[in-house]
């Protein structure tokens, strides 16, 4: 299934895409794509619904983040061997974890706003993992059973804030609008192998990132095992699993960063496409 949320920011309704790509309204069935709806039992109930019985949604409404009421937004850094190489960083021994503030989360096609005075805003296409049930001390062999589904995330980053403002990466990762999520949550039964997904990101129509989740240093299952050994992962928590090469920071000899009016388009096989125009906070 492809589950999504549509409507004005802060007032999104739950929806489902049918086999023809028609948006169907789920608000008569569930209140949101969140919490218990993401459990195996909750998803099974939705799977039993005939999409044709649901009201069609007319027009082309705004898409919100595909998960509502996200608890934790966990991010993994330097998790692609080819991206680590382009940055000159050593391969990490354990998953590098940082958190992105939930206030950064926006819809997949919402505008991305450069912070006031920013000159180093960068792009990062990433595979998002949505947790469906509480996970504590989970083994990697069982880890994928705790996944509700997958989505596209743009882990937008302000590199100066990230590395020069003293402190953790969170400073450069948590600016408002720096977490476009969606367009939809694709349930795990429709993703045969999360370690075999091609991904890309274009800026102004030019291909900047081309990658595949097969080059992850730590797999989705290994990440869940590691994180669930540190704290409980709850339904609706999101893990952004790292980015392949081609970020602006890694361009030689001179890095390239986003400017007002730039357009990013990014996607992952089977998980949909995002598109964001870049604005500038006054």
């Amino acid at each position: 299934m492809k589950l999504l949320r549509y409507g004005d920011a802060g007032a999104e309704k739950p929806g489902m895409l049918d086999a023809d790509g028609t948006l169907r309204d789920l608000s008569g069935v569930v209140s949101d794509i969140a919490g218990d709806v993401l459990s195996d039992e909750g998803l099974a109930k939705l799977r039993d619904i005939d999409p044709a019985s649901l009201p069609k949604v007319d027009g082309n409404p705004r898409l919100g983040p595909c998960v509502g009421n996200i608890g934790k937004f966990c991010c993994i850094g330097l998790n692609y061997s080819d991206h680590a190489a382009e940055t000159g960083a050593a391969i990490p021994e354990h998953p590098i974890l940082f958190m992105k503030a939930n206030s950064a989360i926006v819809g997949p096609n919402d505008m991305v706003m450069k912070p006031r005075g920013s000159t180093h805003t960068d792009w990062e296409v990433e595979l998002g993992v949505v947790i469906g049930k509480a996970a504590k001390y989970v083994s990697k062999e069982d880890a994928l059973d705790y996944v509700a589904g997958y989505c596209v995330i743009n882990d937008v980053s302000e590199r100066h804030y990230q590395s020069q403002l003293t402190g953790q990466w969170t400073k450069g990762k948590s600016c408002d609008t720096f977490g476009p999520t969606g367009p939809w949550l694709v349930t795990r039964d429709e993703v045969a192998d999360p370690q075999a997904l091609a991904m890309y990101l274009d800026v102004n129509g030019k291909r900047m990132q081309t990658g595949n989740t097969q080059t992850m240093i730590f797999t989705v299952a290994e990440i869940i095992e590691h994180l669930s050994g540190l704290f409980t992962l709850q339904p609706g928590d999101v893990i952004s699993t790292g980015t392949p090469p081609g970020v602006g920071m890694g361009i030689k000899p001179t890095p390239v960063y986003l400017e007002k009016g730039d357009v990013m388009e990014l996607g992952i096989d089977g998980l949909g496409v995002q598109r964001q125009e870049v604005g500038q906070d006054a």
Side-chain angles (χ1 to χ4, degrees), residues 165-181:
L165 289 190
T166 308
Q168 299 180 339
W169 289 3
T170 300
K171 289 183 178 181
K173 300 286 190 170
S174 290
C175 303
D176 293 350
T177 74
F178 273 23
T181 302

Side-chain angles (χ1 to χ4, degrees), residues 98-196:
F98 61 92
M99 309 299 279
K100 187 182 283 279
N102 285 26
S103 53
I105 299 168
V106 292
N109 304 316
D110 290 345
M111 183 170 280
V112 165
M113 300 299 293
K114 292 177 59 178
R116 185 179 295 175
S118 167
T119 57
H120 293 74
T121 299
D122 205 347
W123 55 83
E124 295 189 14
V125 58
E126 305 203 359
L127 172 66
V129 178
V130 180
I131 298 298
K133 58 183 177 181
K136 177 77 169 178
Y137 299 128
V138 171
S139 71
K140 63 182 179 182
E141 289 77 18
D142 296 331
L144 297 186
D145 292 340
Y146 292 79
V147 174
Y150 302 91
C151 63
V152 182
I153 291 174
N154 189 354
D155 177 22
V156 184
S157 309
E158 214 297 342
R159 302 302 187 187
H160 179 78
Y161 296 3
Q162 179 181 348
S163 61
Q164 301 300 318
L165 289 190
T166 308
Q168 299 180 339
W169 289 3
T170 300
K171 289 183 178 181
K173 300 286 190 170
S174 290
C175 303
D176 293 350
T177 74
F178 273 23
T181 302
W184 39 73
L185 166 68
V186 179
T187 52
R188 73 170 188 266
D189 58 299
E190 294 193 5
V191 179
D193 183 359
Q195 304 308 145

Side-chain angles (χ1 to χ4, degrees), residues 26-79:
L26 274 173
S27 59
V29 181
V30 295
S31 60
D32 204 352
I33 306 299
D36 291 344
V37 173
L38 299 171
S39 69
D40 290 346
E41 296 77 15
L43 294 176
K45 290 178 181 178
L46 295 184
R47 201 170 285 114
D48 287 341
I49 296 171
D50 178 5
S53 69
L54 299 170
K56 289 183 179 181
V57 178
D58 294 327
N60 187 29
R62 168 190 174 270
L63 297 183
C66 58
V67 180
N69 195 29
I70 292 173
K72 296 185 286 291
F73 201 138
C74 308
C75 301
I76 307 300
L78 291 174
N79 194 36

